[in-house]
Amino acid sequence: MPDLLIELFSEEIPARMQKRAADDLKKLVTDGLVEAGLTYAGAAALSTPRRLTLAVEGLLATSPDTREERKGPKVGAPDKAIEGFLRGAGLTREQLEERDTPKGPVYFALIKQKGRPATDIVAEVLDAAIRNFPWPKAMRWGAGSLRWVRPLHSILCILSDEAGANVVPLDIDGIKAGDTTEGHRFMAPGRFAVSGFADYEAKLKAAKVILSPDERADHIWAEAQNAAFAQGLEIVEDKGLLAEVAGLVEWPVVLMGDIAEEFVPLPPEVLQTSMREHQKFFSVKNPKSGLIEKFVTVANRETADHGATILAGNQKVLSARLADAKFFWENDLRVAEAGASSWLDSLCNVTFHNKLGTQGERIERVAQLARAIAPSVDAAPDLAEKAARWAKADLSSEMVYEFPELQGLMGKYYAAPAGYSVEVANAAVEHYSPLGPSDDVPTAPVSVAVALADKLDTLTGFWAIDEKPTGSKDPFALRRAALGVIRLVLDNDLRIALDQLFDAQLLRHEIALNENGTVRAALLRDLDNEIADHGVFGAAIRTVLDHFDGDLSKHLEEVKDNLPDTSRDLLGFFHDRLKVYLRDKGVRHDVIDACLAMPGNDDLTLLVKRAEALSAFLSTDDGENLLQGVKRASNILAQAEEKDGVEYSYGADVKFAKADEEKALFAALDTAEAAIKPAMDAENFSAAMQAMANLRAPIDAFFEAVQINTDNQVVRRNRLNLLSRIRMICAGVADLSRIEG
C-alpha cells in the first residue's frame, strides 16, 4: 500500500491560522479519499510558517470496483422520463433490465464501475481541496484565479512504496506538483527532492526546518528555561504566546536580553503585557523580588555573532515601547494621587449600552446593589459600595486605554495612591472573576459583593431591555456572567435569594430608563432605603409609588405587574446554566429537575445541597426501591382520581386499617413525617433522605399484602388517602415524579 505525502509551500502563513489550516487540509483530503473509495491506515497534518504538510499512510493503490443497482421508471413510461434515467445511469436502453413488481414491470439499471488508480483520485481530491480551502482571509496574485492565504509557490505531492516514489500529476494555475521542496529561507536556500515522509522530515531538519509545531514549542520552552535557570531566574509561563511564537519560526533560536533598569520597577504585568502584545517576548522574572528583569525572544535563524545584533535591535525597540508604558504609568499615578475624580467623572460620558445608559449610571446601580448584597456575604456595606464605585475607575486610565486586558489589575495598583484600602484594591481586580470554568473564584467578602453586583446588574439590564442570548449567539457574554454568579454563590456557600435581587435591580433599570437624573436619584434612594429597612421588595415598590405620582408612577405600576415574569424568566436562565454546571459534576438532570420543583429554588446553595443529597440517596438500593414504590402509589392514585373524579388528599385514618402491613405503614409514615419536617427545616437533607429510606420496607410490604381497590368503598377510599399521604410526605423532600425510571 502506498503512502501519500502532500506539502503546500507558500509565503508566511499567519501563526494564528496554521493549526486550523493543517486540520482543514487533513479533513478535506481524507474525506475526499474515503468518499472516492480509498481507505487509509492513518493521517497526520503538520505546519510551519511556510508550509502545510499532510502524510497519509497505508493508502489503497486503487479504489475497489463497484456495482450499483438503480430502480428506474415503469415500463411504458414517457420517453423523456426514461431518457433522463438513462443519462443519470450512463447507460443505453438496451442495457436496462425489466423486472416484475407488485405495481407492474419496472426498468432496473446495473451500474458497474471499475476501480480507479490512487493517483487520479488524489489529483482530483487535492485540486478541489486547494481551490476550495476555507481560509479566513485569502488573496489573489498575478494573473491566476487561485486564492490562498499568501502566494502559493509549489506543491509537493507523491505516492511512495517499496518500488519508489511517483509524482501525482496535478497542475493548478500553472503550479505543477512535484517531488521537491525548500528548506530554511536564509540558512538552507535551494530545492531538494524527497522520496517519502521520513526522508522529507529528515532532509528538512538538515535544511534547518523543524516540521512539527509541538517539537518547535518544546524546543523553545526548554531552551528558554535553561537560559533563565542559568541566571537564577524564571520564565513566566504563557502557553498562548508559546504556541504563537512556534508558528512564527521554522528554526527557533532562543535569545535572552536585558530590560533597562529604569523600566524594571514598573508593575510586572505591565512589562509582561507590553512585551507579549507588541514584541512577542517572554518575560523573565526574579523569583525573589517578583520583578521582570529580562526577556526572551526567539529568532528564526542562527547568526555568526550568536544573536548579538538581533538582541541589540530588539532591546532598542523594546525600550521605546516600555518608555510609553512608563509614561502612562507615571501619568496615571498623578491622577490617582489627586483622587482620580476625573476618571470617575469621565465614565459618565462613556456609553455602556445605548439602552442601558452610561458607565457612570451603571456604576451607580452596581454600587447600590453591592451595598444591598454586602450583609449576605459578611462585608461592610459602606466598604462594598466604595469598592463598587472604584472598581471601574481604571477604565479611564491611559494604561488601560493602551492595554485593555489590564483593566481591574491597574485599578488594584492605583487604589492605594488614591487613598483606598486593600479590600477595595483587591475588589477592583477580583470583581471580574470568575471569567471561565477554570478561573479562580474570589473569596474576600468585599470582592464577592462587588463581583455579584456587577454580574447581576449586567444580567438584569439585558433582561430589562429584552436582549437575551439566542441559540449560539451571546454577544454580551450573559451565559458566562450567570455561571460566574453560580460559582460565586456555591464556592462561597452563600445563602442569597436571587429572586429578590432580580426584582430590585430590574426596578432600578426601569427607573433609570424612564426618568430624568434628579428624580431618578431620589427614586433609587427611596427604593434602596426601603429594601435596607424592610428587606421586602413589594413594600419598597409601594413606597416608591406612594411618593412619586404622575406618568412614572403609572409606568411603575405596569412594571410591577411585569416584573415577576421577567424575574422568573431570568431565574429559569440561571437554572439552565446550573443544570449544565451540575451535570458536569455528575448530577443527573432529572435529579436537578426534582429539586428545582421545590420551593426556594432561587437559593442556589440550598438547591445544590438538596440535589447532591437526593443524588446520593437514589444511588442506594433503598432509594431506588422507594422511588419505585412512590411511583406505584402515585400511578394507582392518579388512575383512581381520574376514575372517581375526586382528589384523595383528605387524610387516611388508621381505624379503618385492616391488615397488619397497613397498620405498620401508618406507623412508619407517622415516624417519617415527624423526622422529615424538622430535618428539612434544619436543611439536613441527609437525615430527611434517611427518614424516607426507612419507608421502603413498609411500603413494599403494604403493596405485597394489601389490595387497594377492594369492594369495601370505605376501606378503598382510606387506602387511596394513605397512598396520597405517601406522595405528600415524599414530595416534601423532592418532586420524585420528575425522576426517570
Side-chain angles (χ1 to χ4, degrees), residues 119-283:
T119 52
D120 294 348
I121 296 173
V122 168
E124 289 180 4
V125 169
L126 185 55
D127 184 284
I130 292 173
R131 294 187 185 280
N132 300 291
F133 205 84
W135 291 109
K137 291 183 179 180
M139 60 182 292
R140 282 196 309 111
W141 62 96
S145 61
L146 178 64
R147 298 180 65 85
W148 202 246
V149 64
R150 296 290 186 271
L152 184 64
H153 290 318
S154 68
I155 300 171
L156 184 154
C157 187
I158 58 174
L159 284 166
S160 57
D161 53 22
E162 296 83 357
N166 296 308
V167 175
V168 173
L170 178 66
D171 186 331
I172 298 181
D173 278 14
I175 305 173
K176 293 185 178 181
D179 61 355
T180 65
T181 186
E182 290 186 26
H184 194 279
R185 184 189 292 274
F186 305 113
M187 293 189 291
R191 302 192 69 82
F192 52 86
V194 300
S195 59
F197 179 73
D199 182 49
Y200 167 77
E201 186 176 32
K203 286 181 176 178
L204 277 180
K205 186 163 286 189
K208 305 295 185 181
V209 174
I210 298 176
L211 181 61
S212 167
D214 291 338
E215 185 180 348
R216 294 197 300 275
D218 291 343
H219 174 82
I220 292 168
W221 188 245
E223 289 293 306
Q225 283 188 309
N226 290 339
F229 179 76
Q231 299 188 39
L233 304 174
E234 293 178 355
I235 299 289
V236 176
E237 186 173 1
D238 192 330
K239 293 182 179 178
L241 179 60
L242 180 60
E244 184 177 6
V245 171
L248 296 174
V249 294
E250 291 194 317
W251 190 256
V253 178
V254 174
L255 304 171
M256 181 178 288
D258 296 318
I259 296 173
E261 290 186 8
E262 62 179 303
F263 303 125
V264 172
L266 289 174
E269 296 87 354
V270 171
L271 292 171
Q272 185 181 351
T273 302
S274 180
M275 291 192 293
R276 181 184 65 238
E277 295 301 315
H278 293 309
Q279 307 302 128
K280 311 304 177 189
F281 291 170
F282 293 92
S283 298

Side-chain angles (χ1 to χ4, degrees), residues 634-713:
S634 296
N635 290 337
I636 293 172
L637 197 57
Q639 292 171 4
E641 288 176 338
E642 183 179 1
K643 176 183 176 182
D644 300 344
V646 297
E647 181 180 348
Y648 289 102
S649 58
Y650 305 108
D653 194 329
V654 69
K655 72 182 180 183
F656 296 113
K658 300 296 184 183
D660 290 341
E661 293 82 359
E662 191 174 2
K663 296 172 184 176
L665 180 57
F666 269 100
L669 289 172
D670 289 341
T671 301
E673 190 170 25
I676 287 173
K677 188 178 186 310
M680 292 299 293
D681 290 343
E683 298 177 7
N684 187 347
F685 299 117
S686 296
M689 300 293 172
Q690 184 55 52
M692 276 208 313
N694 294 336
L695 291 173
R696 173 202 167 178
I699 289 176
D700 287 349
F702 173 76
F703 280 122
E704 191 71 29
V706 174
Q707 180 183 356
I708 307 296
N709 290 310
T710 180
D711 292 337
N712 187 325
Q713 290 303 306

